[in-house]
Amino acid sequence: SQKIEQNSEALNIQEGKTATLTCNYTNYSPAYLQWYRQDPGRGPVFLLLIRENEKEKRKERLKVTFDTTLKQSLFHITASQPADSATYLCALVMDSSYKLIFGSGTRLLVRP
Amino acid sequence: DVKVTQSSRYLVKRTGEKVFLECVQDMDHENMFWYRQDPGLGLRLIYFSYDVKMKEKGDIPEGYSVSREKKERFSLILESASTNQTSMYLCASSFTGGKRYEQYFGPGTRLTVT
């Protein structure tokens, strides 16, 4: 069966450390993978998109990797801050489709 | 900035009622989407529309219908609300073309059906 897995347990880290979140998928061959941030009671906000032929993408303190062999994406936030506390969702995009397939998200808590 | 607005943040309806959820976007996006979000299940696509009066079923269309009479507005209709439709409903929009995968979401409507 097709599945996207993100760690359902919250990730709790100290301010200033690097947060690493994981997105694993099975039986999909996405052309793209995206990461969104969602704050409580709000809609998701787009952060980054990475293509299947890109290994890594960066935006300010954010870094995403995409390994199509392992079927895994890693999302890193360096020098984390309490304001980074939120739920982070990964989403797969199949080629020539407008549809996104979302994981259930991982909650990140950054302690001051 | 793209703005996607939804008609209500919170809604309480009774079983069997017809429910309308409205979504409006101000960026001239061609594509619009309705999702529901439930704990542990992530966002699931109900319907999407890639043009006025055009619609396609998503992964869980049963019990829902949609209407898109104008480009900026996309409505989700629960024909006869049931308790298993209690959920957070999120509307999103996107361009076609190069940035079509980047979706902009509204704040969500938390619907409770009693």
Side-chain angles (χ1 to χ4, degrees), chain B residues 5-111:
Chain B
T5 56
Q6 295 184 228
S7 49
S8 306
R9 292 301 304 273
Y10 300 94
L11 210 51
V12 180
K13 295 291 181 180
R14 292 191 183 277
T15 302
E17 279 193 81
K18 191 168 186 174
V19 182
F20 293 86
L21 303 182
E22 304 283 337
C23 175
V24 178
Q25 51 93 5
D26 67 357
M27 277 300 291
D28 205 34
H29 283 170
E30 291 84 3
N31 305 317
M32 295 188 76
F33 307 82
W34 275 107
Y35 295 88
R36 63 179 281 178
Q37 185 175 30
D38 301 287
L41 295 178
L43 279 80
R44 293 179 291 166
L45 182 65
I46 304 171
Y47 267 98
F48 72 101
S49 168
Y50 49 90
D51 201 351
V52 175
K53 297 191 188 292
M54 306 303 288
K55 61 187 178 186
E56 278 198 29
K57 291 179 181 178
D59 300 316
I60 51 164
E62 297 79 19
Y64 304 95
S65 61
V66 290
S67 172
R68 192 165 180 204
E69 297 296 320
K70 293 186 177 182
K71 190 174 185 180
E72 68 271 17
R73 189 179 296 269
F74 192 33
S75 303
L76 179 71
I77 303 151
L78 286 66
E79 297 290 342
S80 176
S82 64
T83 53
N84 63 11
Q85 293 179 309
T86 291
S87 186
M88 170 70 93
Y89 289 88
L90 290 158
C91 173
S93 68
S94 74
F95 284 115
T96 53
K99 289 215 164 188
R100 62 187 177 278
Y101 305 121
E102 187 175 324
Q103 292 188 10
Y104 294 84
F105 284 82
T109 296
R110 186 162 292 283
L111 172 67

Side-chain angles (χ1 to χ4, degrees), chain A residues 65-79:
Chain A
T65 63
F66 191 12
D67 189 325
T68 55
T69 302
L70 290 179
K71 294 187 180 292
Q72 181 182 78
S73 175
L74 299 178
F75 176 79
H76 306 272
I77 305 175
T78 57

